[in-house]
Amino acid sequence: MRTQQTSLATPTFDLNLRWGRDVYPELGSGPIPVEPCISEDYFRLEQERIFRRVWLCVGRVEQVPKWGDYFARDIAGRTVFFVRGRDGVVRGFHNICSHRGNKIVWDEAGCSRKLMCKFHGWTFDTEGRLKGVPDEKMFSDLRKSEHGLIPVATDTWEGFIFANLEPNPAQSLSDFLGEYGRRMSGFPYGEMSHCFSYRAELNCNWKIALDAFSEAYHVGVVHRRAFPGQFSGRINPLSHLPEVRLYRYHRSCIVYRNPEFRPPPVAAHISKFRTSPPAGSRRQPGQELPPDVNPTRSRSFAFELTGIFPNILLHITYGNWFTHQFWPVAVDKTTWEGRLHLYPPKNAAELFSLEALNIMTRNAWLEDTGTMEATQAALASGVKKYFVLQDQEILIRHSYKVIEDFVGYYSGNGAATA
Ligand code: FES
Ligand SMILES: [Fe+2]
């Protein structure tokens, strides 16, 4: 898709660019139907045509550092687990025993170099091969090589583990991520290994939660106490987006930072003692961003807010990255996971800085998640038929378009692929 950049470093920078009408008019400017957020039929089609068909980020390689480490995930009605093999490769498998279908792993995460079913004791290795069958001679003509665990297509990008439930995915992960993946590569995701994570079950559709984190229009209202003056100011009072880039499936924008912001004491401490790259890193603090993210190295850059279709937001900035992910459970139920990653602290001042940043971030995320259930409850009444979006909410408009391209609820012709 077309991209548009504006320079933050020169007076020509246009904070009043109407991203929809001026730059991406093909997305239209009309209202967006509410139905996809409250319809059981739409939810079922999303599960079939999106969540069982496209590449989904399921975790990080750091979650499974050693041979036999695994974690499990529920995805669109399937339970899948990911395990690091003896050869170091992370593989995904359906969590179903090849004998009569019992579960193989029972915990959310663990370590096991021999995977044994608790029903009759069939055992599998970490590559999914069937290795042991008690009383094997009582089976007629059992060829163990044909009864390994059912694999799930799994690949990695920049340490993120992705899976695709299609037996033969139509696209490689690399093609799926495309230009987005190339542009966001090279950031030291793995070096920022200190992680704070949160999870909540929210009574709302997954898109209501996703949308609430996909614009900066709400910042001056929802976060007026958490971040006064940080993301808006004299130059940009309404947190307009300095840059937007839309791809075929994915999306990205810069969230504005007020360069005139004078932080209160705790925020100043967080900034002064923020954690830095580990010993041996080739990166200097403040040099982490890939070349085409904040290309002018503007001081008005807070972070790059990006959306990887369909259900994860990945943000990168100097010294940290964070994600929000939204797992649909029912039309009005979503599991939200927030993760904040930073360089590990090297001393007490850095530890304090890191904990303080975590608390500030957590408070903001509580403010964000606090809007979602009320929105869903009101929409579920069916009284309101459409959302009204403005030009600064372009990422949300793009998301609904890509989702509908796959679902085809209105066109009757969905399941868009490469
Ligand atoms: S169901 Fe797994 S060993 Fe029988
Ligand atoms: Fe927010």
Side-chain angles (χ1 to χ4, degrees), residues 82-314:
F82 301 90
V83 58
R84 190 177 290 275
R86 187 175 201 159
D87 56 1
V89 176
V90 179
R91 295 178 177 81
F93 298 102
H94 288 276
N95 193 13
I96 303 173
C97 178
S98 306
H99 176 218
R100 278 170 43 206
N102 200 13
K103 283 164 69 167
I104 298 293
V105 303
W106 289 72
D107 298 325
E108 260 182 41
C111 182
S112 178
R113 292 180 176 178
K114 190 166 88 170
L115 300 160
M116 189 182 80
C117 176
K118 289 185 187 177
F119 201 170
H120 310 93
W122 282 32
T123 54
F124 304 84
D125 67 13
T126 49
E127 284 73 42
R129 291 177 290 236
L130 176 59
K131 301 302 278 189
V133 174
D135 212 5
E136 186 176 342
K137 59 184 176 306
M138 279 292 157
F139 288 90
S140 69
D141 202 18
L142 180 75
R143 292 192 195 141
K144 290 214 285 292
S145 62
E146 294 174 5
H147 296 283
L149 296 173
I150 301 167
V152 171
T154 303
D155 202 351
T156 59
W157 168 80
E158 293 287 318
F160 292 90
I161 304 169
F162 284 76
N164 189 318
L165 294 183
E166 275 276 323
N168 297 299
Q171 271 182 311
S172 67
L173 175 61
S174 171
D175 287 347
F176 175 71
L177 293 173
E179 177 56 26
Y180 170 92
R182 286 184 283 282
R183 178 167 171 255
M184 293 289 286
S185 293
F187 186 78
Y189 300 98
E191 288 185 3
M192 298 179 189
S193 57
H194 197 95
C195 176
F196 297 97
S197 64
Y198 301 91
R199 178 157 67 176
E201 309 300 320
L202 300 169
N203 291 317
C204 69
N205 186 268
W206 67 281
K207 299 184 293 300
I208 295 293
L210 171 74
D211 298 349
F213 285 109
S214 297
E215 39 85 1
Y217 186 32
H218 72 278
V219 172
V221 182
V222 169
H223 302 308
R224 64 192 175 281
R225 290 189 202 88
F227 300 124
Q230 200 163 334
F231 300 105
S232 60
R234 186 180 56 83
I235 304 165
N236 187 7
L238 291 166
S239 303
H240 284 176
L241 302 173
E243 181 188 292
V244 173
R245 301 192 193 198
L246 303 180
Y247 304 93
R248 179 163 183 193
Y249 306 128
H250 318 296
R251 57 203 72 102
S252 185
C253 70
I254 289 177
V255 171
Y256 178 82
R257 174 184 167 277
N258 176 12
E260 299 176 328
F261 176 61
R262 295 285 165 266
V266 173
H269 182 96
I270 290 174
S271 169
K272 183 175 176 189
F273 293 102
R274 75 176 178 207
T275 54
S276 55
S281 172
R282 283 175 296 159
R283 296 181 176 85
Q284 298 299 311
Q287 305 289 322
E288 301 103 320
L289 293 182
D292 201 24
V293 173
N294 186 21
T296 64
R297 299 302 187 242
S298 167
R299 289 175 55 242
S300 298
F301 172 91
F303 52 84
E304 189 81 14
L305 185 172
T306 81
I308 304 177
F309 174 76
N311 70 331
I312 185 164
L313 301 174
L314 167 62

